Amino acid sequence: MTDRDARIGVLVVDDHAVVRRGLRAYLEVVDGIDVIAEAGDGQEALDRIARLTIEQRAPEVVLMDLVMPRMDGIAATREIARRHPEVRVVVLTSFGEVERVQTALQAGAAGYLLKDAEPEEVMQAIFAAARGEVHLDAAVTRRLTRQMVSRDVGLSALTPRERDILALVAQGRSNQQIAEQLVISERTARTHVSHVLSKLNLSSRTQAALVAIREGLVPPPGAD
């Protein structure tokens, strides 16, 4: 394995050069992270990922602003998820409204941070995304959880197998990993996940993870 292979390649996307340079300056001294490119909007991000993929240097994680010219972060995240499903997107924005968070997660974001986050939290979100996990800003998590509580989302509608599926989703497992652990086909795992989301009236795997944490199926991140 080369040094590059051992490091997480990151693409920083923001329409403000000073923000990009600040993030780059911090991340370039973090052990295990390699900032391989910058982009000023969503379209430029897609173009850069395409070129880097051809060069076999595609980023593992994209730090994505939301409000940008030409193509915004939501549209770019959706296209990255469609064209490059192996690339994970962590949103880094000034906007924490629940509706905006949900839209980003539905588009395929693997994390959502506010720009007042501490640098260490940005680093943690990048590492979590690279592991296939989801990392949300604490304030964002509280808002999403409050909304779900108000909707009274519970587990009574789930079968025992579906509860197992929910717990695995909350642990960041992909459909393929769920299938391997439960010795079922990936198609069956995908169907189970879809049923869980539908029964709980949820729109994303991240929301499902929050329900699993709230209901005690899995411990919260960072718990001993």
Side-chain angles (χ1 to χ4, degrees), residues 129-206:
R131 293 192 300 266
E133 301 171 2
V134 173
H135 186 101
L136 299 180
D137 183 276
V140 167
T141 301
R142 286 194 296 270
R143 291 168 192 166
L144 287 174
T145 302
R146 279 199 301 268
Q147 185 187 67
M148 287 187 296
V149 168
S150 68
R151 286 160 44 187
D152 195 26
V153 177
L155 303 183
S156 59
L158 301 184
T159 65
R161 171 51 61 93
E162 288 169 344
R163 290 187 181 217
D164 293 340
I165 295 286
L166 176 59
L168 292 172
V169 167
Q171 294 166 12
R173 308 292 178 84
S174 66
N175 290 339
Q176 181 178 351
Q177 291 169 328
I178 292 173
E180 291 172 354
Q181 180 156 342
L182 298 181
V183 195
I184 56 178
S185 70
E186 186 173 354
R187 181 177 180 180
T188 299
R190 185 168 57 249
T191 299
H192 278 313
V193 172
S194 178
H195 286 168
V196 168
L197 295 179
S198 177
K199 286 184 176 182
L200 297 180
N201 193 27
L202 304 175
S203 57
S204 72
R205 296 170 81 100
T206 301

